[in-house]
Amino acid sequence: MPDIKKILVANRGEIALRVMRTAREMGIATVAVYSEADRHALHVRYADEAVCIGPAPSSESYLRGDKIIEVAQRLGADAIHPGYGFLSENAGFSRAVREAGLIFIGPSPESIEVMGSKLAAKKAASQYNIPMVPGTEGAITDRAEAKLISGEIGYPILIKASAGGGGKGMRIVEKPEDFDEQMDRAVSEAVSSFGDGSVFIEKYITSPKHIEIQVLGDQHGNIIHLFERECSVQRRHQKVVEEAPSAVLTPEIREAMGRSAVEVARSCQYYGAGTVEFIVDEALNFYFLEMNTRLQVEHPVTELITGVDLVKHMIYVAEGKPLALRQEDLAIKGHAVEVRVYAEDPATNFLPDVGTLHTYVRPQGNGVRVDDGFEQGMEIPIHYDPMIAKLITYGQDREEAIQKMIRAIDEYQITGVQTTLPFCRFVMEHEAFRSGNFDTHFVAKYFTPDKLSPTPDADYRQVAALLTARVLEQGRKRAALPTPGEAPGAVSKWRNRKN
Ligand code: MV4
């Protein structure tokens, strides 16, 4: 394949800028596409050329693969980078890009398809020696048999939708008596959300950490990993804080997870950048859950601890070049932490708070990286994800990275919208986070809005928060949504290992 000379970035915001910056460093021209809501966006200004592709709703702009391919062809781009979200994990788009004679900077449509189905992914992975949570082998067809298997696995079990994602279509079953009811719910939720009622069963790991491995493959069968990211601090399946490396992995487990992740990638002949997601229990047993076939939001922490520009290598391998990195040359140096700064109000149960950035002053200095797509005076559109920025700090060790993060959060000046910065500061200061002794229940277990340092209009906010919390609580009771959590006072055994 020829070298890429011009890349169209089929995305917006910080990730569009992130990709264009590396393209520019490589002497590659850039094309931005944008919606009517993004006319003044930074990614539009940064690009060498920019084309409006439609109205604000993403279904009429950033999800219009046909229009985007047409623009690429008309402007003579030879490749498309999809970023994350939008069309990034759409096998049909990746196929259409290729059929149009363009390079898709990402994996093959076949890899995307296999990993897009949890059952297909597990089936592919089962051909290799990859640890997986005990459970049913395929989709459940015989309920009596499924109940029997659940008894053998031992309750609690988890029913998962094969087409599910982001925690959607998941049901915990605590005891055999609840099996039928939860199964009915899981199937009907899977049908209504994904149009696919296939579900399977796994043992429910009650207090897991979410640890994922970054992988990178070329089109010649070479696959490497770039160590782990710890992403356990989430709320409602939305990651809030990510870091690399994990505070609890030993070098041996790290290596075993890395090897397993490479095998998962191999099981679908993966090339490009990808992420293999594991859950890790308190005894540090790890289990493969799923694979994300895109560049992830939190990729910068991996870049900081490895010194590798992931987008640059995505471009190389998309050109058909062999991997320019060898596993044995990679090592972890230092520690990186990322927090996601959202235009959401932590005092009102994280309701989106979009509006104009009246003040917007980024933190700076040693060890601070800000990936964002906004400037002071700009408006955050309501049409898209309300993430304002990713704030990433890097230090010689975990303590230093966290101290830099607290300093950077305090330097960050944002007015006009409420942000998750005070919440991120709460996490950074929390004893459980500091010790490494935390799991995916961190936010549910420890966070209430009264834990935030007071802001000038705290009184007003607290009243609003109480009202909102009450309304949401009523809503949750009505919908009888599961609130996965562990027994109050349960003691977790995570230890912050110093490697
Ligand atoms: C699990 C699990 C416990 N046991 N599977 C949530 C989203 C999807 N990626 C998988 N998820 C989980 N699968 C078994 N067998 C707990 C979760 C889970 C979770 C995983 C990672 C990060 C945050 C989470 C929050 C709740 C549940």
Coordinates of all heavy atoms in Angstrom, one line a residue, residues 76 89 118 125 151 156 275 347 407 433:
G76 N -9.6 14.1 -2.3 CA -8.3 13.3 -2.6 C -7.6 12.8 -1.3 O -6.4 12.6 -1.3
E89 N -16.5 1.7 15.3 CA -16.7 0.2 15.4 C -17.8 -0.3 14.6 O -18.5 -1.3 14.9 CB -16.8 -0.2 16.9 CG -15.5 0.1 17.7 CD -15.6 -0.2 19.1 OE1 -16.2 0.6 19.9 OE2 -15.1 -1.2 19.6
K118 N -20.4 -10.4 21.7 CA -19.7 -11.0 22.9 C -19.5 -12.5 22.7 O -18.5 -13.1 23.1 CB -20.4 -10.6 24.1 CG -20.3 -9.2 24.5 CD -20.7 -8.9 25.9 CE -20.4 -7.5 26.4 NZ -21.3 -6.5 25.8
A125 N -12.0 -16.6 21.2 CA -11.0 -16.6 22.2 C -10.8 -18.0 22.8 O -9.8 -18.4 23.3 CB -11.3 -15.6 23.3
G151 N -26.7 -23.3 38.6 CA -26.5 -24.0 39.8 C -25.1 -24.5 40.0 O -24.5 -24.4 41.1
P156 N -24.1 -15.6 43.0 CA -24.8 -14.9 42.0 C -24.2 -15.1 40.6 O -23.0 -15.3 40.5 CB -24.7 -13.4 42.4 CG -23.4 -13.4 43.2 CD -23.3 -14.7 43.9
T275 N -8.1 -2.7 22.3 CA -8.1 -2.9 23.7 C -8.8 -4.1 24.2 O -9.9 -4.4 23.8 CB -8.7 -1.7 24.4 OG1 -8.0 -0.5 24.1 CG2 -8.7 -1.8 25.9
A347 N -23.1 17.7 41.6 CA -24.0 17.9 42.7 C -25.5 17.6 42.4 O -26.3 17.5 43.2 CB -23.9 19.4 43.1
R407 N -2.8 19.3 41.7 CA -2.4 20.6 41.4 C -3.0 21.1 40.1 O -3.5 22.3 40.0 CB -0.8 20.6 41.3 CG -0.1 21.9 41.1 CD 0.1 22.3 39.6 NE 1.1 21.5 38.9 CZ 1.3 21.6 37.6 NH1 0.6 22.4 36.9 NH2 2.2 20.8 37.1
F433 N -8.8 5.2 46.8 CA -8.0 5.4 45.6 C -6.5 5.5 45.8 O -5.8 4.9 45.1 CB -8.5 6.7 44.9 CG -7.8 6.9 43.5 CD1 -8.1 6.1 42.4 CD2 -6.9 7.9 43.4 CE1 -7.5 6.3 41.2 CE2 -6.2 8.1 42.2 CZ -6.5 7.3 41.1

